[in-house]
Amino acid sequence: MPAIVQVSDVVKRYESGFEALKGVDLEIEEGEILALLGPNGAGKTTLISTICGISHPTSGTITVSGHDVVKNYRKARALIGLVPQEIALEPFETVWNSVSFTRGLFGKAKDDAHLESILRQLSLWDKKDAQTKELSGGMKRRVLIAKALSHGPRILFLDEPTAGVDVELRKDMWEIVGKLKQDGVTIILTTHYIEEAEAIADRVGVINQGQILLVEDKATLMAQMGRKQLRIALQEPISAVPESLGSYTLEIAPEGDALVYHYDTTNERTGITTLLNDLQTAGLTMTDLKTQESSLEDIFVDLVKEKP
Amino acid sequence: MNLQAIKAIYVHEMVRFFRTLMQSFLSPVLSTSLYFVVFGAAIGSRIDQIEGVSYGAFIVPGLIMLSVMTQSVSNASFGIYFPKFIGTVYELLSAPVSFLEIVIGYVGAAATKSFFIGVIILVTAHFFVDLDIQHPGAMLAFLVLTCLSFSLFGFIIGIWAGNFEQLQIIPLLIITPLVFLGGSFYSITMLPGIWQTITLFNPVVYLISGFRWSFFGTADVPIIASLLAISAFTAICLAIIWWIFRTGYKIRS
Ligand SMILES: Nc1ncnc2c1ncn2[C@@H]1O[C@H](COP(=O)(O)OP(=O)(O)OP(=O)(O)O)[C@@H](O)[C@H]1O
Ligand SMILES: [Mg+2]
């Protein structure tokens, strides 16, 4: 299946001369949820802005459903909805007018029923006549989402949608994202919360200093992450694993004073209970137990640290 | 052409104007009335008539032009500057709209608003003086062209401005003096010789003179000169807009 968004060798140099994107290649599949992770200043917003038309790439090309975002911007942009990172709303405008305005900008005729259903989904219906300045921060973010959805986009960009949002709204948001995915909408979101990427993304991309470091299926990443280590500190150092414990994947720590057991949390049985029993039977005295997991966070931190 | 987008921008701007209805429309009515009290009554009692027209009536076209020009510039410049200032401009940039459609939407709305302000002042003036408009067609044409060209000019300022100070500096330093010195409240034939010549370099003179001609049939400069002046000003503004568009405009970083 051809990618719905194709970013090829995109460089973005700001007027200041700063290169925020250094030759980015990215393919986004139709219907997927892609989470972009990266530290502050990595270039996430710049990448999204360049795809959506807020800034033009210095070099390289971007196509959306085959349409070049610069040359054929009308067709490309018509497919996209954008929820920006910064809340920006006209303070005296009503919610309803604000959402209608966006729909109009995207060339769509008035459709009150459609807007009503969006506002209801986002629990904004009773606020439709309120001026946006009267809304709380979380509600304002919902309005931004409603605006982005007002014209029925095929691709939705969410730039840190859950920054400063409470648990309730976050849940609501993931529910909406889930529904949109069911409708076949492609969703790209940026986040600093790794759990968030874990929870909803199909694929995870890591970006740092203007470069994409990795784009991987979440399942593949999870397989790496699911692995855990149990470190068993021993009273007496040993030089070899007792034979009775041969059926376990055990390693001896370099100093010989501990055993390291690898197991998979996604398995139904981790084998920890029987291992501990067998250790006792083998006559080993344990002084401490410590588990360690390789999380997406570790992978992420490793990736980002590698390139200083 | 994304007509829905033009309509959306236009309606959005008009709603904004109506939200500040009092400020938008009451203030011109009030200031016009004050001008009549101050200029019409105080000065008018001393200057009996100018070119066969009572002083009160004589200042009406100038008053309308004064408001229409300043309102066009301030509304259009604010209209496009405000989204840049509060960040909502991201919507215009990421929507499938062309620069031309953005211009039509914002300039159209600003021009509509100043047109109504012009009409309101005209109606208000009726309560103070007798007006017999000689060339209503020409009057309308001048009014519409002035609204449009000065709104275009305001739009350019709004695109160019990087802060509120820059937004206000041109109207304050250029438009207002040119309008006040452009014969709004007097005929330039009343000026001493050398000043008459200097005044002819003020483009606003031609606009006000032409507009006054459409009311009373008398003018400071030939009507053809007035027509050329307003056309030239519109053409220059359109050329600048075209140039901004070609060279990449300042709303996109
Ligand atoms: N208009 C601009 N002019 C110059 N440099 C800019 C501009 N906008 C962003 N940058 C720089 O580009 C880099 C990437 O910024 P960007 O906003 O894309 O980061 P980000 O990944 O979205 O970060 P965050 O997680 O903080 O939102 C940063 O170093 C930033 O300082
Ligand atoms: Mg960002």
Side-chain angles (χ1 to χ4, degrees):
Chain A
M1 192 167 48
I4 192 162
V5 178
Q6 175 104 39
V7 179
S8 315
D9 198 22
V10 164
V11 173
K12 175 66 196 179
R13 198 175 301 118
Y14 282 111
E15 263 172 57
S16 59
F18 181 79
E19 219 171 71
L21 298 177
K22 299 170 181 150
V24 168
D25 288 298
L26 179 65
E27 285 187 6
I28 301 164
E29 302 289 325
E30 181 152 20
E32 76 169 334
I33 300 181
L34 174 72
L36 273 179
L37 286 168
N40 288 133
K44 302 180 295 293
T45 301
T46 304
L47 178 58
I48 290 182
S49 303
T50 314
I51 298 173
C52 295
I54 293 168
S55 61
H56 288 323
T58 309
S59 69
T61 54
I62 302 169
T63 59
V64 173
S65 200
H67 310 295
D68 188 284
V69 295
V70 178
K71 287 186 213 109
N72 211 346
Y73 69 94
R74 275 191 208 269
K75 284 194 171 140
R77 291 185 199 162
L79 299 168
I80 296 178
L82 167 65
V83 180
Q85 178 174 2
E86 308 279 338
I87 291 176
L89 288 167
E90 260 188 43
F92 299 102
E93 196 171 36
T94 65
V95 171
W96 180 264
N97 285 351
S98 183
V99 176
S100 308
F101 175 62
T102 310
R103 186 175 167 84
L105 274 187
F106 278 78
K108 292 288 178 77
K110 211 163 120 82
D111 183 349
D112 290 356
H114 178 66
L115 294 192
E116 178 174 344
S117 86
I118 289 174
L119 291 181
R120 282 192 189 281
Q121 254 190 58
L122 288 159
S123 317
L124 281 172
W125 183 243
D126 56 331
K127 297 281 178 197
K128 71 177 172 35
D129 296 318
Q131 296 187 334
T132 59
K133 70 175 162 68
E134 299 162 12
L135 303 179
S136 73
M139 286 178 192
K140 284 182 187 148
R141 208 163 269 286
R142 288 177 208 234
V143 175
L144 290 180
I145 297 176
K147 282 162 80 78
L149 294 176
S150 65
H151 63 283
R154 300 306 302 153
I155 307 164
L156 181 66
F157 286 89
L158 295 157
D159 199 354
E160 283 179 46
T162 48
V165 152
D166 69 7
V167 184
E168 198 63 26
L169 176 52
R170 200 176 295 186
K171 259 198 263 164
D172 284 0
M173 243 179 229
W174 299 149
E175 209 169 286
I176 291 159
V177 166
K179 266 188 215 148
L180 288 168
K181 184 184 156 67
Q182 273 172 22
D183 295 340
V185 177
T186 309
I187 294 152
I188 297 93
L189 62 100
T190 72
T191 178
H192 290 283
Y193 302 111
I194 286 148
E195 319 85 71
E196 202 160 272
E198 284 185 34
I200 65 156
D202 298 316
R203 286 201 304 159
V204 176
V206 178
I207 180 170
N208 190 33
Q209 299 191 341
Q211 282 173 317
I212 300 259
L213 303 179
L214 155 151
V215 184
E216 191 78 83
D217 263 12
K218 189 183 62 177
T220 316
L221 279 176
M222 288 300 273
Q224 294 171 27
M225 284 177 327
R227 277 185 230 133
K228 272 188 125 176
Q229 295 182 351
L230 173 64
R231 193 185 158 92
I232 306 152
L234 301 171
Q235 203 163 38
E236 310 282 336
I238 52 168
S239 53
V241 178
E243 243 168 69
S244 59
L245 301 173
S247 58
Y248 299 98
T249 48
L250 284 173
E251 274 168 32
I252 299 176
E255 297 81 29
D257 59 348
L259 283 169
V260 180
Y261 173 59
H262 294 275
Y263 64 101
D264 196 336
T265 48
T266 55
N267 285 356
E268 210 168 300
R269 296 181 156 273
T270 56
I272 293 177
T273 322
T274 49
L275 171 67
L276 294 183
N277 282 331
D278 291 348
L279 279 170
Q280 215 170 7
T281 322
L284 296 173
T285 317
M286 299 167 262
T287 56
D288 194 13
L289 292 176
K290 200 164 87 184
T291 65
Q292 245 183 9
E293 74 185 308
S294 63
S295 62
L296 186 48
E297 184 134 13
D298 292 333
I299 297 171
F300 175 70
V301 169
D302 285 348
L303 273 171
V304 169
K305 256 195 295 191
E306 266 167 33
K307 305 205 172 182
Chain B
M1 200 72 161
N2 185 347
L3 293 177
Q4 289 289 350
I6 296 176
K7 187 178 136 196
I9 295 173
Y10 185 87
V11 170
H12 170 262
E13 284 296 288
M14 293 314 283
V15 168
R16 193 165 64 77
F17 296 149
F18 279 101
R19 219 166 25 225
T20 51
L21 194 64
M22 292 301 262
Q23 188 197 330
S24 298
F25 295 111
L26 196 69
S27 80
V29 172
L30 198 69
S31 55
T32 311
S33 307
L34 285 174
Y35 275 120
F36 274 113
V37 172
V38 175
F39 286 92
I43 302 176
S45 62
R46 286 158 192 264
I47 307 181
D48 204 20
Q49 281 198 336
I50 298 176
E51 289 156 10
V53 180
S54 80
Y55 185 70
F58 180 83
I59 62 171
V60 171
L63 272 181
I64 294 175
M65 279 302 205
L66 176 67
S67 289
V68 161
M69 287 173 184
T70 49
Q71 288 284 328
S72 294
V73 171
S74 69
N75 289 324
S77 61
F78 188 78
I80 187 65
Y81 178 74
F82 192 55
K84 289 203 298 177
F85 180 68
I86 61 169
T88 53
V89 72
Y90 84 88
E91 278 201 278
L92 291 174
L93 297 177
S94 60
V97 291
S98 67
F99 185 61
L100 181 66
E101 286 150 6
I102 295 176
V103 172
I104 296 174
Y106 279 103
V107 170
T112 307
K113 185 190 175 189
S114 30
F115 179 80
F116 278 117
I117 290 174
V119 171
I120 288 172
I121 295 174
L122 187 60
V123 172
T124 311
H126 255 290
F127 290 107
F128 291 91
V129 288
D130 286 329
L131 283 170
D132 184 18
I133 300 168
Q134 310 248 321
H135 310 282
M139 195 273 290
L140 262 180
F142 262 108
L143 187 58
V144 169
L145 270 176
T146 307
C147 291
L148 275 176
S149 55
F150 277 77
S151 296
L152 275 172
F153 185 59
F155 186 86
I156 293 167
I157 294 172
I159 291 265
W160 162 80
N163 55 48
F164 271 105
E165 202 182 19
Q166 291 178 343
L167 193 67
Q168 277 157 351
I169 202 105
I170 292 201
L172 197 71
L173 288 188
I174 300 180
I175 306 288
T176 312
L178 283 186
V179 175
F180 269 92
L181 301 174
S184 315
F185 302 112
Y186 54 87
S187 162
I188 61 169
T189 54
M190 295 159 74
L191 295 173
I194 177 75
W195 287 105
Q196 277 192 38
T197 318
I198 292 172
T199 300
L200 292 178
F201 288 100
N202 179 354
V204 174
V205 165
Y206 297 83
L207 308 188
I208 291 178
S209 163
F211 195 49
R212 189 174 286 134
W213 170 85
S214 69
F215 276 76
F216 311 120
T218 58
D220 290 347
V221 293
I223 181 68
I224 190 76
S226 298
L227 279 173
L228 279 176
I230 185 83
S231 310
F233 184 62
T234 312
I236 289 169
C237 290
L238 284 172
I240 295 174
I241 294 257
W242 184 79
W243 175 79
I244 291 173
F245 172 65
R246 288 306 303 250
T247 53
Y249 43 108
K250 219 181 168 182
I251 37 180
R252 178 172 277 117
S253 62

